[in-house]
Amino acid sequence: MVPCQNFSRHKELVLKEYLVYKLYQIISLYSYRVRLLRLKMVDKYYGNQTTSYAFVIEPVEILSRRLGGEVRDAKNTHPNACNSYNYNRMAIFQYMIGHIDWSIKALHNITLIEPEPYAPSIPVPFDFDFSGFVDAPYALPAEHLPIKSVKERHFNGYCKPEQQFADAFNYFLNLKDTINYTITTFYYLPQKQRNELIWYTNEFFDIIASDTKRKTRIITKCRTH
């Protein structure tokens, strides 16, 4: 990903999206690898030069080879046909970062990896610039959703047994310190930006640590179709 404009705000958007990929690597081995670049761009007509950040994403062919599986390109795969263990963590991660611009059935911002023939597919998310965590100025929620801003969280995952939800919540709570440390020590972003991201993720941890909040904001909001 390359910043579309040479403004500090747009450079920060690139850095924040790169950071999301690094956070998901904490959550799951089934994640895209990314590499941050310092990019010098030259205007071939006027000779002007500018330096910015960018990142490159692992090609899907290398991803599948590294994970020892095959890419499943079939659309209309029902989320309940995915590996529940990995699907639940992916869906809750998307909620953590305030991201609803994804779909298993449409293969929208999701790669499905089949670890072995006929095994349940494992979803690998990508393209997070429409998340509340990144908070791009052009990111708007779909009109049919009950939120006005991408900073507002809305759970886009399918319903699962409550014990599966509880296991996934506990998994994230156990990783809270690691996630916050990764954000705090991401020195490419200014301190103010890092503090805002910590506040945003801590809001998520506050929700999943409360039986009442996680039930009213996640479990009862899950999708059935």
Side-chain angles (χ1 to χ4, degrees):
M1 180 177 179
V2 179
C4 56
Q5 298 183 45
N6 185 30
F7 301 133
S8 60
R9 173 74 189 278
H10 291 273
K11 292 179 182 178
E12 289 175 1
L13 298 181
V14 171
L15 290 169
K16 286 193 286 186
E17 186 173 5
Y18 168 81
L19 179 56
V20 173
Y21 281 94
K22 302 304 289 184
L23 293 178
Y24 194 65
Q25 289 173 12
I26 296 170
I27 303 302
S28 176
L29 293 174
Y30 286 86
S31 52
Y32 277 96
R33 289 178 175 174
V34 287
R35 177 167 293 181
L36 190 63
L37 305 175
R38 187 76 171 169
L39 191 66
K40 183 170 77 172
M41 295 172 284
V42 180
D43 188 319
K44 68 177 183 179
Y45 295 107
Y46 300 103
N48 298 329
Q49 296 185 12
T50 184
T51 303
S52 186
Y53 289 107
F55 65 86
V56 291
I57 305 172
E58 180 178 33
V60 67
E61 298 83 4
I62 296 177
L63 169 77
S64 60
R65 191 183 315 133
R66 174 170 60 84
L67 297 177
E70 297 291 332
V71 176
R72 179 179 172 84
D73 288 326
K75 291 187 177 182
N76 295 317
T77 297
H78 196 282
N80 287 338
C82 292
N83 179 290
S84 293
Y85 176 85
N86 290 280
Y87 174 84
N88 294 341
R89 293 181 179 184
M90 183 279 300
I92 292 172
F93 177 82
Q94 302 271 26
Y95 181 79
M96 183 186 84
I97 63 170
H99 192 224
I100 51 177
D101 187 32
W102 60 276
S103 168
I104 299 287
K105 291 182 178 180
L107 290 181
H108 180 59
N109 294 335
I110 292 287
T111 300
L112 290 179
I113 298 293
E114 198 172 72
E116 55 187 52
Y118 308 110
S121 299
I122 296 174
V124 183
F126 62 92
D127 200 356
F128 305 106
D129 61 321
F130 267 62
S131 67
F133 189 95
V134 175
D135 194 24
Y138 52 80
L140 296 171
E143 292 183 358
H144 69 277
L145 294 172
I147 56 175
K148 302 299 183 183
S149 163
V150 293
K151 294 288 286 185
E152 298 179 61
R153 290 184 172 90
H154 179 72
F155 188 60
N156 193 37
Y158 271 68
C159 295
K160 297 290 182 178
E162 284 203 30
Q163 187 57 52
Q164 288 190 21
F165 274 122
D167 291 344
F169 294 146
N170 289 334
Y171 180 78
F172 275 82
L173 288 169
N174 288 333
L175 289 173
K176 176 181 177 180
D177 290 344
T178 303
I179 289 170
N180 282 346
Y181 178 79
T182 302
I183 297 171
T184 300
T185 57
F186 189 67
Y187 298 118
Y188 294 100
L189 285 172
Q191 182 70 57
K192 180 182 177 182
Q193 288 282 346
R194 284 178 278 147
N195 290 343
E196 290 175 355
L197 294 176
I198 289 292
W199 180 89
Y200 191 66
T201 53
N202 279 342
E203 184 182 54
F204 159 78
F205 286 117
D206 178 65
I207 292 170
I208 66 170
S210 164
D211 289 339
T212 300
K213 289 181 181 179
R214 67 194 196 184
K215 185 171 185 177
T216 57
R217 301 189 190 186
I218 300 177
I219 297 175
T220 60
K221 302 296 184 182
C222 62
R223 299 178 59 181
T224 57
H225 60 276

